[in-house]
Amino acid sequence: NPPKRYEDVYPIDFECEDWEHLWEACESVVQTWIDRGVKLFRVDNPHTKPFAFWEWMIGQLKQRHPDVLFLSEAFTRPKVMHRLAKLGFSQSYTYFTWRSARWELEEYGRELTREPERWWFRPNLWPNTPDILAVQLQEGGRPAFIARLVLAAFLSSSYGVYGPTFELGLRTPREPGSEEYAASEKYEVHHWDLDAPGSLRHVVALVNRIRAGHGSTRRNDHVSFHGVDNEALCCWSRRTSDRSDVLLCIVNLDPRHVQSGWTSLDLGELGIPVDAPFEACDLLTGARFPWQGPHNYVALDPGIVPAHVLEIRRTGGAV
């Protein structure tokens, strides 16, 4: 798996002469864990093993256990990532962790949600993993953690975090310039105090409650980016097909300074008639903003809350 060199892993030959018994043995390992109640498998570097093996093994297991999920940790070419999804992987890692500028997020967000790819490729966005402490988190502190949480949770229907270190805002790398944690649970057992001062657990819980209560977060069918006259602000919406649930998210990508600007909203995408008044209710803070038309003023202070998650309502009722 160049350029990395794994020296503590034996490279099994999946295409040896006795490949059938080898594949059956690998399947039996997964079946052993399923029998013990494990239903989610995160597969490391599946793109370095034969496609035919995954198609056969996942197919065999899904026939017996349709509720078992396989998460593909394949940081490789898009075509290969999509091939693995077509072969049976339920969800896939993405390059979201390294997308930080507005143009990068918009370009990648459109790539992940366009047709027809979104029908088979289910992207899972991760702000961090046990292997990856992103530079944005190292340098941006608490505001960056919240901003990346909102981006991950609402740019895709599926997201995840490496929980304890993310909730506690830990951001010390192994050494300067490294994206590895100085302390994670890969090689050590830690006992975390998730109620420590400054813990983000309640912010994470709130974001998850918002997602659970809104049908627009279930699928990636209708994700659209909207204009803002400030490159430090990223604005996008999610909606259901019938526009009965519409969320508009705006994130300040600058963890140090207040950023403000005027939106250029696609009102048709939001289900709002041109120049009709509507209400934007912030589900993170409870604030309510009476808006009208496509151009509305926003200002986000990263020292308070660096993001809006706005429920769009027509004046006098929900959309």
Side-chain angles (χ1 to χ4, degrees):
N1 189 36
K4 294 184 177 181
R5 293 184 62 184
Y6 295 106
E7 299 177 354
D8 59 344
V9 178
Y10 185 81
I12 297 173
D13 183 0
F14 283 85
E15 297 172 313
C16 62
E17 290 185 8
D18 198 19
W19 63 271
E20 291 179 280
H21 288 123
L22 173 62
W23 290 19
E24 289 171 357
C26 290
E27 181 200 10
S28 72
V29 172
V30 181
Q31 182 64 58
T32 296
W33 288 106
I34 294 175
D35 293 341
R36 285 157 177 76
V38 176
K39 296 297 180 70
L40 173 59
F41 296 88
R42 178 268 200 188
V43 182
D44 194 282
N45 288 329
H47 57 291
T48 62
K49 291 82 180 173
F51 290 137
F53 166 71
W54 295 120
E55 184 175 21
W56 173 82
M57 190 186 77
I58 294 176
Q60 292 289 312
L61 293 168
K62 294 284 275 186
Q63 284 183 12
R64 302 193 296 268
H65 311 281
D67 58 337
V68 170
L69 302 179
F70 292 87
L71 173 60
S72 168
E73 188 257 10
F75 292 120
T76 183
R77 298 183 305 280
K79 286 186 177 180
V80 176
M81 296 168 75
H82 283 264
R83 177 75 179 277
L84 290 166
K86 291 179 180 180
L87 294 177
F89 278 91
S90 314
Q91 297 184 17
S92 303
Y93 269 43
T94 64
Y95 287 98
F96 163 78
T97 311
W98 297 279
R99 301 295 192 265
S100 56
R102 172 173 145 180
W103 70 268
E104 293 176 309
L105 291 165
E106 291 181 348
E107 181 180 87
Y108 198 47
R110 293 188 181 99
E111 177 184 327
L112 294 177
T113 57
R114 68 190 177 193
E115 290 190 16
E117 288 87 343
R118 64 179 172 82
W119 294 113
W120 61 75
F121 189 75
R122 301 179 183 89
N124 198 315
L125 307 190
W126 294 74
N128 74 325
T129 77
D131 294 302
I132 304 167
L133 172 59
V135 173
Q136 307 98 291
L137 301 183
Q138 292 183 36
E139 298 178 349
R142 184 182 180 88
F145 276 76
I146 297 176
R148 298 299 292 181
L149 172 69
V150 172
L151 286 164
F154 295 101
L155 277 174
S156 178
S157 59
S158 182
Y159 89 108
V161 299
Y162 168 36
T165 63
F166 190 89
E167 291 180 12
L168 295 175
L170 302 183
R171 54 193 181 104
T172 303
R174 179 174 54 82
E175 60 186 24
S178 171
E179 283 193 339
E180 295 184 63
Y181 279 95
S184 71
E185 294 170 298
K186 288 201 299 178
Y187 307 110
E188 303 168 290
V189 175
H190 285 274
H191 299 281
W192 308 99
D193 179 11
L194 297 181
D195 289 316
S199 172
L200 290 170
R201 65 177 303 185
H202 300 297
V203 180
V204 176
L206 174 59
V207 165
N208 287 338
R209 286 197 299 272
I210 295 171
R211 282 171 51 89
H214 288 268
S216 60
T217 66
R218 305 284 193 276
R219 301 167 62 93
N220 291 326
D221 295 41
H222 301 288
V223 179
S224 301
F225 289 91
H226 301 259
V228 188
D229 62 356
N230 183 340
E231 287 299 312
L233 297 175
C234 184
C235 178
W236 73 98
S237 64
R238 305 185 64 88
R239 66 171 176 86
T240 52
S241 298
D242 61 0
R243 294 181 175 81
S244 61
D245 182 56
V246 181
L247 294 179
L248 180 71
C249 303
I250 307 173
V251 172
N252 181 357
L253 304 175
D254 180 352
R256 297 180 180 82
H257 305 99
V258 176
Q259 296 290 344
S260 62
W262 290 86
T263 64
S264 294
L265 302 177
D266 181 344
L267 296 177
E269 183 64 24
L270 302 180
I272 301 295
V274 176
D275 292 332
F278 62 97
E279 184 178 67
C281 178
D282 193 338
L283 302 178
L284 295 176
T285 66
R288 297 172 181 268
F289 306 98
W291 283 0
Q292 183 169 353
H295 306 299
N296 299 277
Y297 180 76
V298 294
L300 288 167
D301 184 345
I304 302 176
V305 181
H308 285 315
V309 177
L310 303 166
E311 184 178 46
I312 301 302
R313 303 170 179 172
R314 289 180 183 170
T315 301
V319 174

